[in-house]
Amino acid sequence: MAVPAPSTRIAIERLDAFFGVVHAVRGVSVDLTDRTVTAVIGPSGCGKSTFLRCLNRMHETVPGARVNGRVILDGHDIYGSGISPVAVRRQVGMVFQRPTPFPTMSIRDNVAAGLAVLDRRPNARQTDEIVERALRRAALWDEVRDRLKTSATGLSGGQQQRLCIARALATDPEVLLLDEPTASLDPISTQKVEELIYELRTDVTVIIVTHNMQQAARVSDRTAFFLGGELIEVAPTEKMFTSPSDERTESYITGRFG
Amino acid sequence: MTTATKDWSGAPSGRQRAVAERTVRSIRRRRIRSGIMVGLMYAAAALAILPLILIIIHLLRLGGSAVNWAFFTQMPRPPGEHGGGMANAIVGTLILLGISSAVGLPVGIGAGLYLAEKRVTPLATTVRFLADVLNGLPSIVMGIFAWELLVKPVNHFSALAGGAALGAMMIPMVTRTTEEMVRLVPISLREAALALGYSRWRTSLSIVLRTALGGIVTGALVAMARIAGETAPLLFTALGNSFWSTSLKAPIAALPLQIFTYAITPYDDWVAQAWAGALVLVAIVFVISLAARIVTRRRFSAGD
């Protein structure tokens, strides 16, 4: 199959992130390829989640947190002056470790939640179409089509997580950030979410933080290894897991620490 | 094997028997002690609700006979004339509850949301402390203050002044329950909304506040139940009224005031009416509390 030349979707230049005096991400520079899945791996506390949260300006919502450096998305630095974090987050979707459906909303309204804050809000009929499309993309439509008006809290954990993915997809983000999206799911739900991630690459740039190296190997095209807040190595996933160039990567992957 | 000397099959040795007896005695002693403690707890629980049961029995005995349709629909009658009711005071109490909610709920919920969002800023800490002080303020002080502020300048008592005094008493209660309820909303929910591109205030209002709404409504109802029977703040503000009045600018009747006025008269008819008024007041508080319970239960069965 002919693969078009990969282009950079997000260019990260000398990114530093802090929690108060703690230097959580240290001078990370990396280009993330368009319409691929990039996995971010590393031991607990290595700064991989913080790195992810810098890409949609969620890091700064924590009291005492700050960011230095540049994150260039479509030619614009998302930390540039005059750029609102709210606008950035509308373009960059995010799904968290634990499912976070809004408990007061129905399944339909959950998926449509992101549409409500768009500048051009779709009408009710368009919303229904968008909701259906998003739920189909998240492989949840068949399970919930008959109960769209019921509370989202009635779904199982795996369904709730796919609902959150649908909610993130509803606004058609160019980039989707996944922060250990299967950490709280059972194996079957995990498999469904992984298949979903694999299919999303055709039109979304996905960055997934994971603790699970098998998962990184299964779903990603490229893998980045973090250690102590630094980016140690980034390479095509296959190369990363067979012949990493840094010996620290190798010892982590072979299970010598972490 | 030199250490395997324990004989598992044979009769217990004297030492083993002694240990067993001691264990049995100790278990029996613990059971007795546990039984006594459980009994004391039951007694304490029974004592805790005893006053309420006695009050209700007493009210039913003394006031029950005077509570009839006329009590809710008719005006008070002069002493000696049999019958009559407290329609004006019942409506007055409801109006006062309405005014105080209109004053107390928006301010209380707003302040509670502020405290929950800005947990540790100096202003939040100060507001939280002052709310606790306000909560402990004697209600007579609240009444005299409202008189100074809202009655004296205009030279007449009014429903508005009474409602404002009661509303001010609601504020700290509603503030603290709102803060507690908003804090119960997981931070992950707030983050999910922010990540969708919700602004901070929109996250607070349409996600956080909406999620906490059941608890906030419960808190508001509890606060209403608390102030429904307040008398002291009304003495200087709403004053009471023996005639029919729903004007917010005029003195207005209220059940607690009417009970007070009637109870201290020597007329048997009026004293009986006072008991009936007390019964109705307790019933109103009971209904509000019941509503609060129902809202709470719905909240926990629907969500979380």
Side-chain angles (χ1 to χ4, degrees):
Chain A
M1 202 170 87
V3 179
S7 61
T8 297
R9 187 87 220 195
I10 310 176
I12 296 144
E13 296 171 10
R14 292 188 306 283
L15 186 76
D16 286 280
F18 305 83
F19 288 104
V21 292
V22 179
H23 198 165
V25 173
R26 298 163 181 262
V28 171
S29 295
V30 59
D31 289 348
L32 299 175
T33 316
D34 189 26
R35 274 173 265 186
T36 54
V37 178
T38 304
V40 180
I41 60 169
S44 297
C46 69
K48 56 190 191 298
S49 279
T50 307
F51 167 74
L52 194 73
R53 290 166 63 92
C54 288
L55 305 185
N56 67 341
R57 298 192 62 172
M58 279 300 287
H59 177 61
E60 67 205 52
T61 63
V62 178
R66 87 201 139 79
V67 179
N68 289 334
R70 281 149 55 92
V71 175
I72 292 158
L73 173 66
D74 292 334
H76 298 285
D77 180 10
I78 65 169
Y79 287 98
S81 63
I83 303 276
S84 122
V86 170
V88 171
R89 293 180 202 138
R90 282 177 197 166
Q91 276 180 50
V92 182
M94 187 169 205
V95 175
F96 299 87
Q97 193 171 340
R98 296 188 153 274
T100 53
F102 299 132
T104 56
M105 294 186 192
S106 67
I107 292 170
R108 175 192 179 276
D109 291 348
N110 257 285
V111 179
L115 305 170
V117 290
L118 293 181
D119 296 328
R120 298 182 54 183
R121 280 164 60 176
N123 63 30
R125 200 175 49 79
Q126 291 166 325
T127 302
D128 285 335
E129 283 168 15
I130 295 170
V131 166
E132 178 176 342
R133 198 166 58 226
L135 284 169
R136 281 188 191 283
R137 283 175 83 186
L140 189 60
W141 173 253
D142 291 332
E143 291 161 59
V144 300
R145 60 188 304 168
D146 299 324
R147 45 171 173 159
L148 292 174
K149 296 253 158 65
T150 62
S151 168
T153 50
L155 298 174
S156 74
Q159 290 173 326
Q160 289 187 6
Q161 192 64 308
R162 278 179 282 147
L163 180 73
C164 292
I165 295 174
R167 185 172 67 190
L169 291 174
T171 52
D172 258 324
E174 305 154 38
V175 179
L176 186 63
L177 309 176
L178 306 170
D179 189 359
E180 297 189 42
T182 62
S184 62
L185 302 186
D186 62 86
I188 291 175
S189 302
T190 299
Q191 194 194 339
K192 283 189 177 162
V193 170
E194 284 182 4
E195 283 166 7
L196 166 63
I197 295 166
Y198 196 81
E199 276 161 27
L200 284 175
R201 85 185 59 213
T202 50
D203 37 25
V204 189
T205 306
V206 180
I207 300 135
I208 174 172
V209 164
T210 177
H211 250 114
N212 180 331
M213 278 181 282
Q214 285 77 35
Q215 180 169 71
R218 281 193 297 264
V219 303
S220 71
D221 306 295
R222 289 169 69 79
T223 298
F225 173 59
F226 274 67
L227 185 64
E230 286 174 55
L231 173 63
I232 304 297
E233 186 175 353
V234 57
T237 300
E238 209 184 311
K239 177 175 180 296
M240 195 77 158
F241 283 96
T242 50
S243 53
S245 47
D246 194 290
E247 63 180 86
R248 288 169 292 181
T249 315
E250 190 176 357
S251 29
Y252 178 69
I253 285 169
T254 53
R256 242 169 282 161
F257 66 89
Chain B
M1 285 271 192
T2 52
T3 53
T5 53
K6 199 167 255 178
D7 178 11
W8 294 103
S9 56
S13 69
R15 200 179 116 79
Q16 280 168 328
R17 208 172 312 152
V19 168
E21 272 168 27
R22 218 168 38 234
T23 312
V24 168
R25 267 207 310 277
S26 145
I27 287 175
R28 196 177 298 142
R29 240 195 343 262
R30 283 197 225 167
R31 285 224 180 101
I32 291 170
R33 206 181 300 162
S34 163
I36 293 171
M37 284 306 175
V38 169
L40 284 175
M41 296 305 135
Y42 275 119
L47 276 177
I49 56 165
L50 189 65
L52 179 63
I53 293 171
L54 288 179
I55 288 170
I56 289 175
I57 291 173
H58 203 65
L59 286 177
L60 283 172
R61 218 155 47 90
L62 291 171
S65 57
V67 178
N68 47 32
W69 185 241
F71 187 82
F72 293 96
T73 54
Q74 292 185 13
M75 295 293 294
R77 294 207 183 145
E81 265 185 55
H82 208 64
M86 288 197 181
N88 58 338
I90 294 169
V91 169
T93 283
L94 295 180
I95 289 175
L96 285 170
L97 271 180
I99 301 171
S100 53
S101 301
V103 172
L105 295 185
V107 178
I109 291 172
L113 191 58
Y114 173 80
L115 290 185
E117 296 269 329
K118 304 261 174 195
R119 292 174 193 197
V120 289
T121 59
L123 181 59
T125 314
T126 314
V127 168
R128 194 175 294 122
F129 175 68
L130 291 181
D132 286 342
V133 173
L134 190 62
N135 209 3
L137 203 68
S139 54
I140 189 93
V141 176
M142 190 63 86
I144 209 161
F145 175 71
W147 177 81
E148 180 76 29
L149 207 69
L150 295 167
V151 176
K152 202 174 151 209
V154 297
N155 272 319
H156 62 83
F157 298 100
S158 67
L160 220 49
L166 294 181
M169 293 190 63
M170 281 177 80
I171 289 173
M173 301 184 232
V174 176
T175 301
R176 290 315 297 266
T177 41
T178 302
E179 184 190 358
E180 297 298 323
M181 291 304 134
V182 168
R183 278 191 179 198
L184 283 181
V185 176
I187 199 147
S188 58
L189 224 52
R190 194 184 298 259
E191 291 208 319
L194 288 173
L196 276 177
Y198 279 57
S199 59
R200 264 191 77 111
W201 69 268
R202 189 130 189 198
T203 301
S204 292
L205 290 182
S206 53
I207 303 294
V208 177
L209 205 55
R210 211 168 131 188
T211 306
L213 195 62
I216 294 171
V217 170
T218 305
L221 288 171
V222 169
M224 284 167 75
R226 267 278 311 278
I227 57 135
E230 277 295 340
T231 321
L234 298 179
L235 291 172
F236 310 104
T237 50
L239 187 67
N241 194 334
S242 25
F243 303 101
W244 179 264
S245 169
T246 54
S247 164
L248 300 188
K249 289 181 183 160
I252 196 164
L255 272 175
L257 291 172
Q258 201 101 335
I259 293 166
F260 176 68
T261 318
Y262 276 33
I264 57 172
T265 62
Y267 315 114
D268 288 342
D269 286 351
W270 278 18
V271 172
Q273 292 277 54
W275 283 111
L279 185 59
V280 170
L281 187 58
V282 169
I284 290 175
V285 171
F286 179 75
V287 167
I288 297 176
S289 305
L290 202 65
R293 296 289 304 194
I294 290 169
V295 171
T296 311
R297 183 164 317 160
R298 248 215 335 244
R299 187 170 97 86
F300 285 116
S301 59
D304 301 308

